Amino acid sequence: MFRRMIVLLLAGVWVTGDSLAQEWHLISVDGWQGGAAVVVDFDLDGDQDLVERTLTGFFWLENDGSGNFTQHNPDLPVSTYSQLQVADLDSDGDMDVLTLQTADVVNWSVYWFENDGAMNFSESIIAEIPTMDWTAFTVADFTLDGLPDIMLLRQIEQQSSNYRIYYQFAPLAFGVYADAFTSHLNSPLPALTSQDMDGDGRPDAFSNCPLDNVAFVDDTQITVSSAVQMEGVIPAAGDIDGDGLQDIVYADYGPLYCNLQATQRVFGDQITLHDDGSDALATLDWNADGMTDVAAATGAQFRVYTNEGDLEFSSESFTPPVGYGFPFHLLTGDLDGDDDLDLIGKTFSGYTWLENPHGPSRTPEAPPQRIELAMNVYPNPFNATATVAIDLPYPSQVNLTLVNTLGQVVWSRPNVQAGAGLQQFSVDGSFMTSGTYLLRAEIGTAEVTQRMVLLK
């Protein structure tokens, strides 16, 4: 069962100054704040929600599609939780929650909150994964078999670490895929993030360990490299120099730095982006020019470093109204559904949300005509290609999106102009791995989803 409450979302406050006009929102939430948070389409309704870890589980903020939120607090057993990840662990077409949990602050376990499809959650331990002393984890399809896997990070006596992948070889059945032991200094608040760092199509991971902080994943092993010798703010990754390889951006309790991945898996030059300190970092394409920019939170202020090319950056500061709090975690997401990335700062009382001033005009439009959609996909399961048939009552613009079990978009056909009547579209799965996917078709305010299974 859920305990629900309406979250106070203050009306957008416009701030003008020497730079672009700024529209700020304050999302207030009830209960203890300060845990890990993610931006994800948690209920798979086409808009992005917020999911946050608490001391006794998690809560989520449901987005109504217009940037207004309702808080949901699942009734869960009382315990102590650490990091949080969201993924469709059991491949049943809905999003689940995973956390690291301890009852005695010594012995940790990975807990799985199973979604029954109606956003009700039941808690269980993934018993196959003993996790004593494991302090950080991330979820991705490291083995490229269509099933989410788990990478954990263990810090051993403040002098070494252990990266380990538990792979899902069958639904909810796990085995040890790879181990890597390295030497590093201890990080007081360890964190682990998954991303394809070397451009080989396979997820890797990076951490905030002061040494040995990038874990590259191969077919049979984990190779750990030292990208930076940092101590401070959790880093962010992005292709800063446009060479197809992910670079590391970090702040060492002072200036904002970037270490470039000079060649595959080899980090070289360090550049300084700014001399001011930062409390939180994120990477994004802020102005939609195809280049990776860097965002930072310093005090209550957001600062964006726009990539001008050739490792040159211009900076712009955004200051919220008084009382909006001091972000300690910086997120990016499209909370208002206008196809650009906004900045969301996590504070101890909620979220500070800055709408992207480079986005499209926000002048309200007349609501589109509502229709009911019927969709058929065949064959299903499919191999390489499938046909989507939709019966349209009138000429329409169709948006098709296919997401994997981690909620990541793997294929899309946006803004397709289609005539009235039965229309057919082809889904290309030739480049995807076998697994379960969710197809979403949107026409105006109408939406329909269908589960698809790719077998190769």
Side-chain angles (χ1 to χ4, degrees):
M1 299 294 292
F2 279 106
R3 298 189 301 273
R4 298 189 178 191
M5 64 199 70
I6 300 298
V7 180
L8 174 63
L9 173 58
L10 297 184
V13 176
W14 286 88
V15 179
T16 58
D18 296 333
S19 59
L20 296 170
Q22 307 166 29
E23 185 173 1
W24 292 87
H25 302 274
L26 181 62
I27 306 174
S28 298
V29 297
D30 180 75
W32 180 87
Q33 303 304 307
V38 296
V39 179
V40 63
D41 184 5
F42 193 45
D43 51 5
L44 300 178
D45 64 350
D47 47 53
Q48 294 190 322
D49 312 298
L50 292 158
V51 186
E52 180 173 342
R53 185 267 301 178
T54 71
L55 289 176
T56 58
F58 73 94
F59 68 83
W60 65 287
L61 304 178
E62 180 183 4
N63 190 344
D64 68 356
S66 300
N68 300 303
F69 295 86
T70 301
Q71 182 171 340
H72 301 271
N73 300 295
D75 291 320
L76 301 169
V78 175
S79 189
T80 300
Y81 295 84
S82 180
Q83 295 188 3
L84 172 146
Q85 299 286 331
V86 174
D88 183 8
L89 187 67
D90 51 357
S91 302
D92 63 352
D94 50 47
M95 304 302 285
D96 309 308
V97 172
L98 293 92
T99 67
L100 276 176
Q101 175 180 333
T102 180
D104 55 13
V105 197
V106 175
N107 300 303
W108 293 80
S109 299
V110 174
Y111 268 64
W112 169 43
F113 298 94
E114 180 183 5
N115 188 343
D116 66 359
M119 306 307 291
N120 301 305
F121 296 87
S122 58
E123 178 191 77
S124 61
I125 296 177
I126 301 176
E128 294 84 354
I129 304 181
T131 55
M132 180 182 295
D133 297 332
W134 299 93
T135 50
F137 80 117
T138 186
V139 177
D141 183 12
F142 292 104
T143 56
L144 301 181
D145 61 357
L147 297 173
D149 309 306
I150 300 171
M151 179 187 287
L152 296 109
L153 170 64
R154 180 186 183 191
Q155 297 189 121
I156 307 170
E157 298 179 351
Q158 301 188 14
Q159 297 297 322
S160 63
S161 66
N162 179 194
Y163 291 87
R164 174 178 292 177
I165 292 177
Y166 286 91
Y167 74 101
Q168 196 173 177
F169 58 85
L172 302 180
F174 291 85
V176 177
Y177 172 80
D179 260 307
F181 291 88
T182 67
S183 299
H184 72 73
L185 303 176
N186 189 55
S187 175
L189 295 172
L192 193 62
T193 304
S194 54
Q195 192 165 324
D196 181 9
M197 298 295 294
D198 54 359
D200 65 352
R202 184 189 295 269
D204 307 299
F206 65 94
S207 74
N208 62 333
C209 295
L211 300 173
D212 296 327
N213 35 48
V214 181
F216 295 104
V217 180
D218 296 305
D219 288 336
T220 58
Q221 65 180 356
I222 303 173
T223 302
V224 184
S225 299
S226 179
V228 294
Q229 297 187 18
M230 71 181 105
E231 182 180 359
V233 176
I234 294 175
D239 184 9
I240 299 299
D241 53 2
D243 63 354
L245 303 174
Q246 299 296 301
D247 310 303
I248 296 287
V249 179
Y250 69 103
D252 192 6
Y253 293 118
L256 181 61
Y257 298 112
C258 175
N259 265 44
L260 302 175
Q261 191 175 173
T263 59
Q264 195 173 50
R265 304 190 177 192
V266 177
F267 288 84
D269 295 339
Q270 172 183 285
I271 61 174
T272 301
L273 298 182
H274 203 278
D275 291 331
D276 292 343
S278 301
D279 301 317
L281 298 173
T283 54
L284 74 166
D285 185 1
W286 179 244
N287 56 354
D289 63 353
M291 292 189 287
T292 301
D293 309 308
V294 179
T298 303
Q301 189 179 76
F302 290 167
R303 184 178 292 115
V304 176
Y305 303 93
T306 302
N307 193 338
E308 306 291 350
D310 297 324
L311 300 180
E312 297 291 334
F313 291 82
S314 60
S315 65
E316 189 169 21
S317 298
F318 301 88
T319 304
V322 176
Y324 269 47
F326 298 89
F328 59 86
H329 187 197
L330 194 57
L331 306 167
T332 64
D334 184 15
L335 295 184
D336 50 359
D338 63 352
D339 297 323
D340 58 32
L341 289 175
D342 307 318
L343 291 176
I344 305 112
K346 180 71 193 74
T347 72
F348 284 103
S349 59
Y351 296 86
T352 298
W353 166 21
L354 171 64
E355 291 196 33
N356 193 325
H358 297 281
S361 171
R362 296 179 175 84
T363 303
E365 299 177 355
Q369 182 178 354
R370 291 187 176 273
I371 61 173
E372 295 294 328
L373 284 181
M375 179 171 67
N376 183 35
V377 178
Y378 58 90
N380 193 11
F382 71 105
N383 181 354
T385 60
T387 300
V388 180
I390 306 176
D391 193 6
L392 300 176
Y394 50 78
S396 308
Q397 180 173 280
V398 180
N399 292 284
L400 297 173
T401 305
L402 193 67
V403 299
N404 61 17
T405 55
L406 300 176
Q408 301 165 330
V409 175
V410 296
W411 175 91
S412 66
R413 285 192 64 186
N415 305 324
V416 179
Q417 298 296 329
L422 186 63
Q423 303 295 324
Q424 294 184 341
F425 309 90
S426 179
V427 176
D428 179 15
S430 60
F431 61 94
M432 295 184 290
T433 58
S434 297
T436 301
Y437 298 86
L438 187 70
L439 177 68
R440 178 185 299 117
E442 297 173 280
I443 301 174
T445 58
E447 177 183 308
V448 64
T449 59
Q450 184 164 336
R451 184 180 178 189
M452 298 179 63
V453 178
L454 174 62
L455 297 178
K456 290 187 174 181

